[in-house]
Amino acid sequence: MKPVKLPNEIDVLIATKPENVRYLSGFTAPEDGLVVLGREGATLFTDARYAEQAPAESRVPVEIVNPREGYGFLRPHIEGLRVGYEARHMPCALKARIEAEAGAALLPTEGVVERARMIKSPEELDRIATAARIADEGYAHLLPRVAPGTRELDLALELEFWMRRHGAERAAFDFIVASGPRGALPHGVASTKRLEQGELVTFDFGAVVDGYHSDMTRAVALGPVDAELRRIFEVVEAALEAALEAAGPGVAARELDAVARDVIERAGYGPRFVHSLGHGVGLEVHEAPFLNARSEDVLEPGMVVTLEPGIYLPGKGGVRLEELVHVTARGIEVLSRAPRGWLEV
């Protein structure tokens, strides 16, 4: 894992965000722990339920404590120091308790651990690639079952069950299966709607392996579809191809977003591309860097990001195509390998 650099204004950081606790320690129940990170190392704190599990999993020293009795156990680790906390993630009530019981005023920080998490180690890349492979294979398993009369929800369940039977610990998120007019919903999670002939269906899904996510989107036609739906598929595919061609180390995230957006705008569908081009993927399915018009991020080797342009036509349908990409020293490696071209079933 990449070392975490503390800001100059703090001596130690109290990390409570579960993904950051796991990153710093390796502990697989991070929602029940916190980490105190200093310049000389880190300590994981958790309760007696994990007295055997935590030392077996953690890369850093472990202290078994009882938070119900208060947070005085932190005092020896933070007293007299400038102590940072994760302002976006620590509840106000917890901050107040720690300040009162551990004798330290906490200073707000943002993104300290997340900045390190943007660059994946070879081990992290292997887990993400494995999750992507399972998703690819699950999609191949699912395609013969995509037919008129099938419920969106049943397809989502079949895909999740298959992936879990073949190595995924869980689904990366609530799968999107959006058919017909529901395709205009960018986050149209699977419903009880039944697929119909002549519809376009969006599938957005991913697997989790050892805590690391994959993310991919494909679109499938149930036989011939309306000409405009075929047209927006072609535009989205062209936007994705342009983004893939432009992506690589040193490319600004906002510039990459603009590359894809320009293709869609020139085709006359600019207002129908209603979200950013993509995001980082790792311990979270949506994490830094973020690929949008306001981003200050720049792609670097070791990052894993999605590229996912889309067009959504209210009342009619929509298309999104998404690839999972590893940024390398020389360019990119596409981790999601399932065919993304036009497909009628």
Side-chain angles (χ1 to χ4, degrees), residues 6 11 13 24 35 66-67 118 167 183 205 234 245 253 259 291 293 302:
L6 294 179
D11 302 309
L13 173 71
L24 293 169
V35 167
N66 186 358
M118 285 195 293
F205 56 98
E234 293 170 351
E245 180 68 24
V259 166
L291 282 59

Side-chain angles (χ1 to χ4, degrees), residues 190-213:
S191 73
T192 57
K193 178 188 176 300
R194 295 185 183 275
L195 276 56
E196 298 180 21
Q197 190 72 19
E199 291 184 331
L200 202 56
V201 188
T202 299
F203 296 92
D204 189 349
F205 56 98
V208 178
V209 171
D210 291 337
Y212 286 81
H213 297 69

Side-chain angles (χ1 to χ4, degrees), residues 1 7 31-32 92 97 100 114 123 146 175 181 206 239 251 261 281 313 319 321-322 339 345:
M1 306 299 176
E31 64 281 358
D32 292 321
C92 294
R97 284 197 66 185
E114 287 86 344
E123 294 79 12
V146 179
F175 292 167
V251 177
R261 202 167 298 277
V281 176
L313 305 179
V319 176
L321 297 174
E322 176 183 25
V345 298

Side-chain angles (χ1 to χ4, degrees), residues 1-5 13 15-31 33-35 37 42-44 57-60 86 111-125 127-128 210-212 281-284 287-288 302:
M1 306 299 176
K2 184 178 179 181
V4 176
K5 182 179 180 181
L13 173 71
T16 53
K17 182 178 181 179
E19 293 82 5
N20 291 344
V21 172
R22 181 162 185 171
Y23 183 82
L24 293 169
S25 67
F27 182 42
T28 62
E31 64 281 358
L34 62 82
V35 167
L37 173 67
T43 302
L44 169 68
E57 294 179 342
S58 180
R59 298 185 299 271
V60 303
E86 297 178 314
V112 175
V113 182
E114 287 86 344
R115 279 190 288 274
R117 284 173 45 202
M118 285 195 293
I119 308 300
K120 272 57 180 182
S121 69
E123 294 79 12
E124 291 176 295
L125 289 169
R127 293 167 187 168
I128 296 169
D210 291 337
Y212 286 81
V281 176
L283 283 170
E284 296 175 271
E287 62 180 41

Side-chain angles (χ1 to χ4, degrees), residues 179-257:
S179 60
R182 294 191 73 255
L185 305 175
H187 286 172
V189 296
S191 73
T192 57
K193 178 188 176 300
R194 295 185 183 275
L195 276 56
E196 298 180 21
Q197 190 72 19
E199 291 184 331
L200 202 56
V201 188
T202 299
F203 296 92
D204 189 349
F205 56 98
V208 178
V209 171
D210 291 337
Y212 286 81
H213 297 69
S214 70
D215 192 4
M216 175 173 68
T217 307
R218 295 292 186 264
V220 174
L222 293 176
V225 301
D226 178 271
E228 188 172 25
L229 292 177
R230 178 66 182 264
R231 168 64 176 154
I232 64 172
F233 181 97
E234 293 170 351
V235 173
V236 169
E237 187 176 34
L240 176 57
E241 293 287 354
L244 289 167
E245 180 68 24
V251 177
R254 63 176 177 272
E255 294 176 2
L256 199 54
D257 178 273

